[in-house]
Amino acid sequence: MSNVTESDFLHHIQTRGYLYQCTDIENLTKLMQQEPISGYIGFDCTAPSLHVGSLIQIMLLRTLQQYGYKPIVLLGSATTRIGDPSGKDEARAILSEQEIAKNKASILEVFKAFIQFDCGDTAKAVMVDNSDWLEELRYIDYLKEYGKFFSINKMLSMDSVKLRLERQQQLSFLEFNYMVLQAYDFVELYRRYGCRLQLGGSDQWGNIVTGVDLGRRVGTPQLYGITSHLITTSSGAKMGKTANGAVWLNQNALSVYDYWQFWRNTDDADVVRFLKMFTELPISEIDKLAQLKDKEINEAKIILANEATRLCHGQEAMEAALKAAQGVFVDRLAVDGIPTYFITQEEIGEGMPIFKLLHKIGLTESGSMSKKLIQGKGVRVNDQLITDECLLICNNDFNVSGLKISVGKKKHCLVRHSARNS
């Protein structure tokens, strides 16, 4: 794990821009100075991969471990069957046990890149599943022992419930139980692992506070909660979502190259903030990068892409993605599955319209589809947006590496002159 230079965990997460709310930061600071506490974050198994919207939470667990505290990754096989209503206008789709188990196994691989589960010391991470205790609960006994501690009035005031009701969207009794079970998770994790801290996004504040309160009512030592900002881009878009879909963390869901390109395409206004949150570069180095202006800021974007990709996928994969982005290909099937298409100078002739070239190299199914993509601002040549569907591509447009053509952020091809005509 990399060294950190700030004096303590709480100061670190404030400096990097993670910290949004804390239930009792003064007493939590004292506790963390006295003993190596445990902290957890829960992740439901709703998809085969987490996306970059979950990356802040993963970085918090990684940082917690770097400071010598034990991170607990809670995978919610049980709560996945209910669905967290937070931030949703309708109920989540109910998954089968087989789908949940498959998603859980896939998600596990992400955490292995960021957190150490075999470091052999007090900070060794733990992976648990709330099905271990929630499935054993007897409903009547649970209601009798814990139901009296939950106020319906208070639950109705929680954002996850209130916002759904204000929009006149249905909230099922099943979903209404979600915060009750999440609160019980916190108490159970204290009993099993001595866990005193729950972390999560700001949309989880109500659920976290409910767990802290339940702990107090059933006689645990004081529990604490921390939330981070829900990250949006400078344009207001939700982090992790793009026009082409989610930016997944698992390589089998999104190629390393496209993951690298996501960070490389960060808006100028977001670069410094994302360097603080999604890399481990020292703040002093980030402050220097913050001075870059105009075209020079592309250097900072490349560093962001490199560092974020290295953390998630490793050094070797990052270097391969960087080479692919620079147009350095070694054979017909290029790095990370990006194909190279060879074309003769005779085929290009006096010039080939871009919409025809797109179809010829297999990036679209027809010339008309090519035109629609260009009209929809979905085509780039050498990373430059194309707006003229009849733009002529000529032989002298090819550089040494070739001509990189992209359709959206998931389809890429390097077009090169055939060697026999070079």
Side-chain angles (χ1 to χ4, degrees):
M1 311 292 279
S2 63
N3 294 324
V4 284
T5 57
E6 286 83 355
S7 59
D8 58 62
F9 170 76
L10 292 172
H11 177 69
H12 179 93
I13 65 174
Q14 285 178 308
T15 303
R16 307 297 288 207
Y18 298 135
L19 183 61
Y20 180 57
Q21 297 161 298
C22 182
T23 54
D24 185 349
I25 195 166
E26 183 176 343
N27 281 322
L28 178 58
T29 300
K30 293 177 182 177
L31 178 64
M32 297 187 81
Q33 291 170 346
Q34 293 169 359
E35 58 183 273
I37 69 168
S38 300
Y40 94 95
I41 302 178
F43 301 86
D44 283 346
C45 308
T46 55
S49 174
L50 300 175
H51 58 66
V52 296
S54 298
L55 200 49
I56 286 287
Q57 312 313 319
I58 297 173
M59 292 296 287
L60 281 172
L61 288 176
R62 179 180 173 88
T63 305
L64 195 69
Q65 186 173 51
Q66 289 173 329
Y67 278 98
Y69 305 106
K70 181 188 290 293
I72 298 174
V73 179
L74 174 67
L75 293 182
S77 291
T79 41
T80 301
R81 298 186 209 169
I82 296 175
D84 184 359
S86 301
K88 298 292 180 182
D89 281 338
E90 57 185 28
R92 297 177 186 269
I94 301 299
L95 303 180
S96 68
E97 290 188 23
Q98 293 77 12
E99 289 173 313
I100 292 171
K102 185 177 180 181
N103 290 346
K104 175 184 172 182
S106 181
I107 289 171
L108 282 174
E109 297 304 311
V110 171
F111 290 101
K112 292 177 183 178
F114 290 89
I115 302 169
Q116 292 185 6
F117 294 92
D118 57 357
C119 52
D121 57 26
T122 57
K124 178 180 178 180
V126 176
M127 183 90 67
V128 296
D129 191 323
N130 60 15
S131 64
D132 292 346
W133 53 84
L134 292 182
E135 289 185 358
E136 295 175 358
L137 288 178
R138 298 175 64 179
Y139 188 61
I140 299 298
D141 292 340
Y142 177 75
L143 287 180
K144 182 179 178 181
E145 185 171 357
Y146 296 99
K148 58 189 175 185
F149 298 127
F150 294 95
S151 164
I152 293 295
N153 305 65
K154 191 171 182 179
M155 292 171 72
L156 288 172
S157 71
M158 297 296 182
D159 283 346
S160 59
V161 174
K162 184 173 66 175
L163 294 176
R164 181 82 71 86
L165 297 179
E166 286 177 351
R167 294 169 182 154
Q168 298 185 335
Q169 299 290 337
Q170 178 177 312
L171 178 74
S172 71
F173 181 70
L174 179 68
E175 295 174 281
F176 192 61
N177 276 272
Y178 189 92
M179 73 174 73
V180 173
L181 296 180
Q182 183 170 325
Y184 182 75
D185 281 345
F186 200 174
V187 170
E188 191 66 28
L189 285 170
Y190 168 74
R191 290 170 175 169
R192 294 186 179 218
Y193 300 97
C195 182
R196 302 283 298 275
L197 174 65
Q198 181 181 176
L199 306 102
S202 60
D203 60 337
Q204 294 298 310
W205 179 249
N207 292 340
I208 291 173
V209 170
T210 302
V212 171
D213 185 61
L214 179 62
R216 178 181 61 82
R217 291 175 180 274
V218 301
T220 71
Q222 183 176 355
L223 304 179
Y224 299 89
I226 285 177
T227 62
S228 59
H229 296 272
L230 286 184
I231 306 302
T232 57
T233 64
S234 59
S235 65
K238 190 174 181 180
M239 186 70 176
K241 301 288 187 179
T242 71
N244 296 305
V247 182
W248 302 108
L249 301 181
N250 283 74
Q251 186 174 344
N252 59 2
L254 183 75
S255 73
V256 178
Y257 176 82
D258 285 312
Y259 187 78
W260 188 95
Q261 283 286 359
F262 167 76
W263 296 106
R264 170 61 181 82
N265 293 329
T266 296
D267 189 271
D268 292 3
D270 293 322
V271 175
V272 173
R273 185 164 57 112
F274 287 0
L275 281 167
K276 290 179 180 179
M277 291 181 166
F278 302 113
T279 81
E280 292 178 339
L281 291 175
I283 292 295
S284 58
E285 188 171 338
I286 294 173
D287 288 342
K288 292 178 182 177
L289 292 171
Q291 304 305 312
L292 299 176
K293 303 296 180 184
D294 301 323
K295 289 185 178 181
E296 289 183 344
I297 203 169
N298 288 328
E299 178 186 339
K301 292 182 182 182
I302 291 172
I303 291 172
L304 169 63
N306 288 346
E307 292 299 310
T309 304
R310 181 181 60 79
L311 280 174
C312 188
H313 296 296
Q315 181 71 22
E316 186 176 343
M318 178 275 284
E319 291 177 354
L322 176 61
K323 288 180 179 178
Q326 293 172 333
V328 179
F329 295 87
V330 294
D331 54 29
R332 185 173 179 80
L333 188 62
V335 176
D336 201 25
I338 303 170
T340 300
Y341 187 95
F342 292 94
I343 193 168
T344 66
Q345 293 187 27
E346 286 78 7
E347 286 178 286
I348 295 292
E350 297 296 319
M352 180 181 290
I354 181 63
F355 78 89
K356 287 187 177 179
L357 182 59
L358 287 170
H359 176 48
K360 183 175 182 63
I361 63 179
L363 286 179
T364 63
E365 296 179 2
S366 66
S368 59
M369 180 182 289
S370 299
K371 291 180 179 180
K372 288 180 181 179
L373 283 168
I374 294 168
Q375 292 166 1
K377 298 183 179 180
V379 176
R380 291 179 181 270
V381 174
N382 287 339
D383 294 324
Q384 298 299 311
L385 182 67
I386 300 302
T387 57
D388 180 3
E389 61 197 45
C390 293
L391 174 73
L392 286 182
I393 300 298
C394 302
N395 286 308
N396 59 10
D397 291 326
F398 287 68
N399 56 36
V400 175
S401 300
L403 200 69
K404 188 174 82 170
I405 300 182
S406 305
V407 172
K409 293 184 179 179
K410 293 188 176 181
K411 285 186 177 182
H412 309 278
C413 185
L414 187 72
V415 184
R416 304 182 71 178
H417 283 141
S418 174
R420 64 180 179 273
N421 290 288
S422 58

